[in-house]
Amino acid sequence: MATDSPIIIDQPYVPLAKRRLPAGRPRSWYVTHNRRLKALRLAIALLDSGVYRADLADNEKIRRTADLVGIRPPSDKTCRLVRDLMRTRR
């Protein structure tokens, strides 16, 4: 069902409502989960800003982007995860 008409976006993006994380998991699970969410938000922000290749996203650029979008500065480990998410999988 392909149409040639453009998609009209009449409202700004609204994030989904946050839900509580499941209880009873080990602390390391929550740390990893939150790190992945943060890395994904940063990867999306970098892509939106025009940085399309992981090798162009050094730690300093990722931290500047985090500051621009209002995210606390990421650790080196999170910066590595951002670059991993940006890499092209074949």
Side-chain angles (χ1 to χ4, degrees):
M1 187 155 94
T3 62
D4 291 330
S5 61
I7 298 172
I8 299 172
I9 300 173
D10 58 351
Q11 296 180 8
Y13 168 75
V14 177
L16 297 174
K18 290 187 177 182
R19 297 185 310 177
R20 294 179 62 96
L21 292 175
R25 303 269 172 104
R27 178 172 168 71
S28 62
W29 183 89
Y30 298 104
V31 171
T32 303
H33 176 76
N34 288 330
R35 176 171 282 131
R36 287 177 182 162
L37 290 178
K38 184 176 192 175
L40 190 58
R41 285 193 302 269
L42 286 169
I44 291 169
L46 284 165
L47 291 169
D48 286 345
S49 70
V51 179
Y52 299 112
R53 292 187 0 213
D55 57 337
L56 297 177
D58 59 349
N59 288 359
E60 199 54 44
K61 184 176 285 281
I62 294 171
R63 289 188 177 113
R64 280 195 310 268
T65 303
D67 187 43
L68 284 173
V69 296
I71 299 174
R72 292 187 63 195
S75 66
D76 290 344
K77 195 171 188 179
T78 304
C79 290
R80 255 191 323 271
L81 185 55
V82 169
R83 284 189 291 275
D84 286 345
L85 288 170
M86 292 178 68
R87 284 197 176 85
T88 304
R89 304 281 198 271
R90 293 178 192 197

